[in-house]
Amino acid sequence: MVGNHLLQHRELSATAIGVGAYIQSLPEGAPVGIRALVARFAEGEIRISAALRELEQHGYLERRRERLESGRVVTRTYSYNKPLTTPDEPPPPPDREPVPDPEPEPQRAADPEPTPQPVHPGATALLAGLRRHDPRLLLAERDVQRLAPGVSAWLDRGADPEAIAQALATGLPEPMRSPASVLAYRLKALLPPHLPAAPASRPIRRPDPFQTCDGCDRAFRSPHPGRCRDCPPPPEVRAAA
């Protein structure tokens, strides 16, 4: 059973509440590390890590470093159905008068919706076409819309669309429970730097056409007909000189 103190917690984010409820539903000894949770949910590693830190801060999780019999040091995660008392909020001593609950804080106005980032025109088409590289990458519409800003960042940095598709679709894990989560991780972890623009190509200078010399009938290259450089100028030119 999951208590309302977790589900109705006013300081935990929606992701932290969902992750906390999921962890409490697991049997003892089940893996609840970041990798296991990222493979289970569509949220990426950054959001899952932040949710675990929130649960630990509010006493629903405790991570301890323990030494095994072999001497190896590991980190174990303990989940609590009721939150532990945090060090900066100690319980009142028995001989102390109960302190009245503080007045409820006024409800804070909802934060404004973040401004959507512009999406490159070719981002959604690239994601939709990944199924041609691997049938498992047939993404849902919501996953395409969620991942499109990450692809746009690659395109804005000058990455070639075919190179992006190869980076996303090559060497995928086996088995792959959440293709969208794998793509979201690769888009962030493999993001290239700003690539320099390709140098402008120089115009190709074509050679002069072949002409037939008026003096020796030998072929030579020149933009205009006349005599080659080995033949003397025609008589009329010499007379004028």
Side-chain angles (χ1 to χ4, degrees):
M1 297 181 64
V2 181
N4 281 339
H5 52 81
L6 171 61
L7 300 179
Q8 303 294 332
H9 204 290
R10 297 183 61 183
E11 298 181 11
L12 290 175
S13 64
T15 303
I17 293 175
V19 171
Y22 170 74
I23 291 176
Q24 291 190 14
S25 70
L26 295 175
E28 183 177 356
V32 291
I34 295 177
R35 291 185 179 179
L37 296 175
V38 168
R40 170 61 178 82
F41 295 103
E43 285 75 8
E45 181 179 351
I46 296 177
R47 295 185 64 183
I48 292 294
S49 300
L52 292 177
R53 287 196 297 270
E54 289 184 54
L55 292 170
E56 188 174 14
Q57 178 183 358
H58 290 279
Y60 288 96
L61 288 182
E62 183 182 9
R63 285 184 270 199
R64 304 177 189 170
R65 295 180 61 84
E66 300 180 355
R67 185 178 299 275
L68 303 179
E69 295 181 357
S70 61
R72 180 186 174 191
V73 177
V74 297
T75 300
R76 295 188 185 274
T77 301
Y78 295 87
S79 172
Y80 300 97
N81 292 339
K82 292 184 179 181
L84 296 175
T85 303
T86 55
D88 55 345
E89 296 178 358
D95 58 347
R96 180 177 170 183
E97 297 257 344
V99 179
D101 294 335
E103 295 183 4
E105 299 180 359
Q107 187 173 5
R108 188 178 63 177
D111 295 332
E113 291 292 331
T115 304
Q117 298 294 327
V119 176
H120 195 282
T124 54
L126 190 150
L127 289 166
L130 290 178
R131 67 187 187 279
R132 294 193 294 267
H133 297 267
D134 191 318
R136 295 176 297 172
L137 297 181
L138 179 60
L139 302 174
E141 175 67 20
R142 62 168 188 158
D143 292 329
V144 171
Q145 298 301 326
R146 181 168 62 89
L147 297 173
V151 177
S152 295
W154 284 58
L155 293 171
D156 292 340
R157 295 192 175 199
D160 180 73
E162 185 61 28
I164 300 175
Q166 290 293 333
L168 296 179
T170 303
L172 295 172
E174 292 284 355
M176 184 170 57
R177 298 179 58 184
S178 178
S181 297
V182 174
L183 295 179
Y185 172 79
R186 290 191 172 190
L187 285 171
K188 293 180 180 179
L190 305 179
L191 180 64
H194 288 278
L195 304 176
S201 58
R202 296 181 179 180
I204 301 176
R205 183 181 181 277
R206 298 185 179 277
D208 295 333
F210 281 104
Q211 308 289 348
T212 301
C213 179
D214 295 338
C216 64
D217 291 333
R218 186 171 57 183
F220 70 102
R221 290 187 181 275
S222 176
H224 307 290
R227 296 195 174 201
C228 67
R229 61 183 180 180
D230 296 332
C231 289
E236 58 271 17
V237 175
R238 293 198 301 268

